[in-house]
Amino acid sequence: MNQVTLYVPGICCMNVNHSIEQEIKALNGIISYKGTLPKGKIVIEYTHRLISSQEITDIIKERGFSIVKKIQREKTVDIYN
């Protein structure tokens, strides 16, 4: 599982955030989406085998928003039997 944190100025109200959230969550491979207002901070967890962070950012950019900062990291999960 991977996580990408995006800073997207212009996402300043719940309606815009909700609209983007619905579009992103509909994509195959998205695990979770959390948007924080008014900073425009979005944290998305996704399965990198099914979707890339570039595909996610492209969708947001197609909506007319610019991404001023992108932080990407891989999350590891320990499984014990």
Side-chain angles (χ1 to χ4, degrees), residues 1-43:
M1 173 174 46
N2 285 26
Q3 177 177 302
V4 64
T5 301
L6 307 171
Y7 291 88
V8 185
I11 298 180
C12 56
C13 70
M14 291 302 292
N15 289 337
V16 173
N17 183 55
H18 183 69
S19 175
I20 293 172
E21 178 181 9
Q22 294 305 310
E23 191 168 347
I24 297 296
K25 281 184 167 182
L27 300 171
N28 191 24
I30 299 298
I31 298 166
S32 71
Y33 173 103
K34 182 179 179 185
T36 306
L37 299 176
K39 294 180 180 181
K41 178 181 174 182
I42 300 172
V43 179

Side-chain angles (χ1 to χ4, degrees), residues 28-73:
N28 191 24
I30 299 298
I31 298 166
S32 71
Y33 173 103
K34 182 179 179 185
T36 306
L37 299 176
K39 294 180 180 181
K41 178 181 174 182
I42 300 172
V43 179
I44 301 169
E45 291 181 340
Y46 63 98
T47 303
H48 68 280
R49 291 182 312 264
L50 300 174
I51 191 166
S52 70
S53 65
Q54 186 62 49
E55 290 172 293
I56 295 168
T57 57
D58 286 347
I59 288 171
I60 293 171
K61 288 178 181 179
E62 287 171 6
R63 301 258 337 214
F65 295 99
S66 61
I67 297 169
V68 295
K69 187 175 182 182
K70 177 179 174 181
I71 303 167
Q72 190 168 349
R73 67 181 244 232

